[in-house]
Amino acid sequence: MAPFVIRAHRGRCRTRPGATMDASGMKRRRPGGLEAAAAPSAAMHYRSWAAACYEARIAPLLAALPDRAQPLARDWRGSCAPGRDPATRARLFPGAQFLLWADALAGPGASAGGEPMAAAIEALHNATLVHDDVIDGHALRRGQPTLLGIRGSAAALLAGDGLQADALELLARLDPPPSSACLRALGRALREVALGQWLDEPENWARVPAARRLAHWRRVCRLKLAIGNVGAPLAACWLGTARLGTDAGELAARIEALLRGFSVVSQIINDLGDWYDFAGLHAPSPSGRARFEESARKPTLPVLWRAAPGDAPATLATAGASLAATREALLARGRAEIDTRRRRALRALDALPLARPLPPALPDFFQSPALPGAGR
């Protein structure tokens, strides 16, 4: 299948980040950079682009892996697919992010040949989600049944392991083989997810002093979201210093810092959605889960924002009568936090040495995440 490449821009622009050309050909700075960019059209939305990219460039590689006749193998690979439901299509797709950032870093078509890496990232990301569902007992994710809900814990655990095996198979198909820097980045991301999941368990939360709970929440976010954030810095490692014309390791570190600061947005939406029944980063929709499912087990963000030191999560989670009165206040605080992180991310993106103009889906990744509107 032909590579799925955004071709809305040709060649590499030599203007400064955030600059445009006037009629005379002179460089001029666009006021506000990406922060002042117009709202994207439907064709520019990251969620639409990423699902299409997955289906065109990543899904065929997963479908061709060994043991595809085995029902469980089909199920665990199928768990990566976006499906037809809008909620499941508005996903993170970190493998698609890898391809998007490769083109943004080195120009249109630079991601060609990186499909095995992208598919490996998707497999590893979904392996962590399948295992997360087992740990948390989630029968639904994005409003759809999980492997745990369909097949039970034993099959779900094995499915997660199978996805990790698929990732190794895919990495072996990269030509040239992945560098040691790429493999270290993937290994570190997986290790951080495991540590973050463990620190997020109720028994560890119980040992965190009240004054340090919010800091602990931020640390858990940073660790648990590592595999979802790995695609962009990994693109810099994969392209390498010679191809980028700048130090790949330094650029990867800048991109990683950008994404670590912004990715907390997904947990803000997740935690508030636990109280008010929505889920999804780029297009929040009803989650289908029981309200307070997470908050009954551990301090989530609205619990931390509302609680006095020493309050028990279960007590707050069952105090449903007062939630309507605090809904808009909590959502307003969440929107303000998201807006702050969005502005920081877009400023950092504007300052990166990227091929200009950017693929439209890239700025939209940062511009489109939002909480439900007031009164919803």
Side-chain angles (χ1 to χ4, degrees):
M1 183 171 292
F4 183 89
V5 180
I6 289 181
R7 302 192 183 278
H9 53 298
R10 308 282 183 184
R12 186 162 185 156
C13 179
R14 298 298 180 185
T15 58
R16 298 188 313 274
T20 58
M21 306 290 285
D22 63 20
S24 67
M26 297 297 291
K27 298 176 187 178
R28 61 183 174 81
R29 187 76 175 178
R30 182 178 67 245
L34 291 169
E35 292 180 77
S41 69
M44 298 179 184
H45 282 312
Y46 173 81
R47 61 180 180 268
S48 303
W49 178 89
C53 178
Y54 175 91
E55 290 169 334
R57 300 181 65 180
I58 296 173
L61 276 69
L62 291 169
L65 288 170
D67 299 314
R68 52 188 176 272
Q70 296 296 324
L72 183 58
R74 287 200 304 268
D75 284 353
W76 77 55
R77 290 162 191 161
S79 73
C80 302
R84 297 184 179 277
D85 188 276
T88 63
R89 295 184 71 82
R91 289 163 57 176
L92 181 62
F93 294 110
Q97 271 197 62
F98 167 82
L99 299 172
L100 179 63
W101 274 88
D103 286 341
L105 285 163
S111 63
E115 290 84 358
M117 177 70 83
I121 295 169
E122 288 292 341
L124 291 172
H125 180 240
N126 280 277
T128 66
L129 297 181
V130 171
H131 285 162
D132 179 72
D133 290 336
V134 173
I135 292 170
D136 292 341
H138 287 158
L140 294 174
R141 181 177 286 275
R142 310 179 193 96
Q144 303 299 311
T146 62
L147 281 171
L148 174 68
I150 296 170
R151 285 185 167 269
S153 59
L157 284 170
L158 294 171
D161 294 343
L163 283 165
Q164 292 174 340
D166 282 351
L168 294 176
E169 172 82 21
L170 290 159
L171 289 172
R173 298 183 181 191
L174 268 176
D175 184 21
S179 67
S180 58
C182 288
L183 295 176
R184 281 196 300 270
L186 282 172
R188 179 165 64 94
L190 286 171
R191 185 169 60 250
E192 289 185 349
V193 171
L195 291 172
Q197 185 68 53
W198 171 239
L199 291 174
D200 201 27
E201 287 300 292
E203 62 189 275
N204 285 309
W205 270 107
R207 291 193 284 266
V208 179
R212 292 195 53 79
R213 282 182 178 177
L214 194 55
H216 185 80
W217 181 87
R218 293 192 188 100
R219 184 186 181 200
V220 166
C221 288
R222 177 178 64 81
L223 293 170
K224 286 181 66 174
L225 299 170
I227 196 68
N229 289 336
V230 78
L234 197 59
C237 292
W238 177 69
L239 289 167
T241 296
R243 195 170 177 186
L244 290 171
T246 190
D247 186 278
E250 179 182 333
L251 184 54
R254 289 175 65 186
I255 296 169
E256 182 179 7
L258 183 165
L259 287 173
R260 284 193 169 188
F262 182 75
S263 62
V264 173
V265 166
S266 68
Q267 197 63 42
I268 294 172
I269 295 173
N270 180 82
D271 283 11
L272 288 167
D274 178 55
W275 279 39
Y276 300 116
D277 187 31
F278 56 81
L281 178 61
H282 291 92
S285 58
S287 68
R289 293 178 180 172
R291 293 175 73 180
F292 318 119
E293 189 174 75
E294 295 288 332
S295 298
R297 298 179 60 246
K298 62 193 179 186
T300 58
L301 190 58
V303 171
L304 296 172
W305 280 348
R306 290 188 69 226
D311 279 353
T315 301
L316 287 173
T318 54
S322 66
L323 293 182
T326 60
R327 173 188 170 100
E328 289 310 319
L330 285 172
L331 291 180
R333 185 169 178 178
R335 290 187 198 103
E337 181 71 21
I338 290 171
D339 287 345
T340 296
R341 291 182 179 274
R342 187 194 334 276
R343 286 193 296 271
R344 289 174 185 165
L346 289 172
R347 283 196 296 269
L349 183 67
D350 215 19
L352 289 174
L354 303 178
R356 307 284 170 160
L358 296 179
L362 184 55
D364 181 66
F365 175 82
F366 301 98
Q367 288 165 340
S368 63
L371 290 166
R376 281 184 62 181

